[in-house]
Amino acid sequence: MSTLTTPHIDVHRGGDRMKTRVAWLDSKHSFSFGEHYDPDNTHHGLLLVNNEDIVLPGEGFETHPHRDMEIVTWVLSGSLVHQDSLGHNGVIYPGLAQRMSAGTGILHSEKNDSWRISAAPEHQEPVHFVQMWVVPDESGLTPGYQQLEVDAELAGGGLVTVASGLPRYRDRTAISIASSHSALHVARLPGEAAEVRLPEAPYLHVFVARGEVEMEGVGTLYEGDAVRLARSGGQRVTANLPSEILVWEMHARLGGQ
């Protein structure tokens, strides 16, 4: 468990993120990732990866391995085809929460080519999604996969728990993650001064996935901006235009750092 006692709020602007750009991919990394390494920016709480990716149609990540990580994928627009070595094969779209537990090892691919597994015509729309990795409670778990439609809950405009290992959210509609100190909440704010209040936790990570919001005590946050909070929470987040925020609530930290 965290022993941090001093409240802290740290704003990270979207334009300052590390970037990977190739012909088919525009990827922005909130933390060190791949060839982009900054020893002072490796994680926050238990969150190691917060990648915002845009993938062109017909393209994507070919089959590759993962191990000992809880991976949550959240699509903002378009569709993403997931295929893995457990035999799962499906399309992720906005409002569908998806989790893959890598455990002892799993292979998977993610591509923007849904027409290849359906009768739909080939499309020209990029897929825009956020992929997040959190550390599981223990290594060597059995690999797993789960997805859940939460679009109806999001329509209410409140903060919806979409992935959780925290016992306090056991009765809520959410996919499960093997991290008993972590939960991901999402809010789709319709604008017109719609607001939500952040949970209180030793560690929070607030990411503006779409739109523009005002955070109490922080100010204006634009698309791609993130706020890392320690021993804080309870702030109001208000949107005057349609916006979407992703909030990780964490009650432990990686390696006591």
Side-chain angles (χ1 to χ4, degrees):
M1 296 294 292
S2 171
T3 58
L4 189 66
T5 58
T6 304
H8 184 72
I9 299 176
D10 192 10
V11 178
H12 291 253
R13 297 298 179 183
D16 296 332
R17 291 174 292 176
M18 294 168 279
K19 301 174 181 65
T20 297
R21 286 183 176 143
V22 294
W24 56 271
L25 171 68
D26 182 354
S27 184
K28 302 179 180 68
H29 318 294
S30 295
F31 303 98
S32 295
F33 188 82
E35 64 183 22
H36 304 287
Y37 181 70
D38 177 355
D40 297 321
N41 184 26
T42 58
H43 67 281
H44 180 66
L46 294 170
L47 181 64
L48 275 73
V49 169
N50 188 86
N51 285 349
E52 180 184 0
D53 294 337
I54 297 175
V55 174
L56 294 181
E59 304 288 352
F61 300 95
E62 299 292 347
T63 302
H64 58 282
H66 289 288
R67 186 182 182 93
D68 290 327
M69 200 64 61
E70 295 295 290
I71 300 173
V72 179
T73 301
W74 186 253
V75 173
L76 298 168
S77 64
S79 60
L80 185 70
V81 175
H82 167 95
Q83 295 178 299
D84 65 42
S85 53
L86 296 179
H88 299 108
N89 184 341
V91 180
I92 314 168
Y93 49 84
L96 181 75
Q98 187 241 45
R99 174 269 297 166
M100 186 178 71
S101 296
T104 55
I106 194 170
L107 299 169
H108 82 137
S109 63
E110 297 161 301
K111 303 191 77 173
N112 181 8
D113 60 355
S114 59
W115 63 84
R116 291 178 181 160
I117 62 171
S118 71
E122 183 173 343
H123 64 254
Q124 297 300 315
E125 181 183 9
V127 59
H128 183 190
F129 64 99
V130 181
Q131 189 167 92
M132 299 150 281
W133 301 6
V134 292
V135 180
D137 292 337
E138 56 184 298
S139 59
L141 298 173
T142 300
Y145 177 93
Q146 187 182 5
Q147 65 182 43
L148 184 68
E149 174 68 64
V150 293
D151 207 53
E153 290 82 358
L154 289 165
L159 204 59
V160 176
T161 307
V162 302
S164 175
L166 281 168
R168 69 183 65 185
Y169 300 127
R170 187 171 290 127
D171 295 333
R172 299 195 186 183
T173 300
I175 53 175
S176 61
I177 54 176
S179 178
S180 59
H181 301 300
S182 307
L184 171 65
H185 313 282
V186 177
R188 282 184 186 161
L189 299 166
E192 300 179 351
E195 69 174 37
V196 294
R197 187 177 291 274
L198 298 177
E200 295 186 8
Y203 297 93
L204 290 173
H205 185 271
V206 180
F207 178 69
V208 183
R210 292 191 302 113
E212 176 185 315
V213 300
E214 297 287 330
M215 181 183 291
E216 187 177 12
V218 174
T220 305
L221 298 171
Y222 304 96
E223 191 165 298
D225 288 351
V227 184
R228 304 176 193 180
L229 303 93
R231 285 293 175 194
S232 187
Q235 294 92 341
R236 289 189 300 271
V237 178
T238 306
N240 291 314
L241 55 89
S243 303
E244 190 164 340
I245 61 170
L246 281 59
V247 180
W248 277 99
E249 173 188 352
M250 297 167 286
H251 294 261
R253 56 183 173 175
L254 177 66
Q257 298 179 2

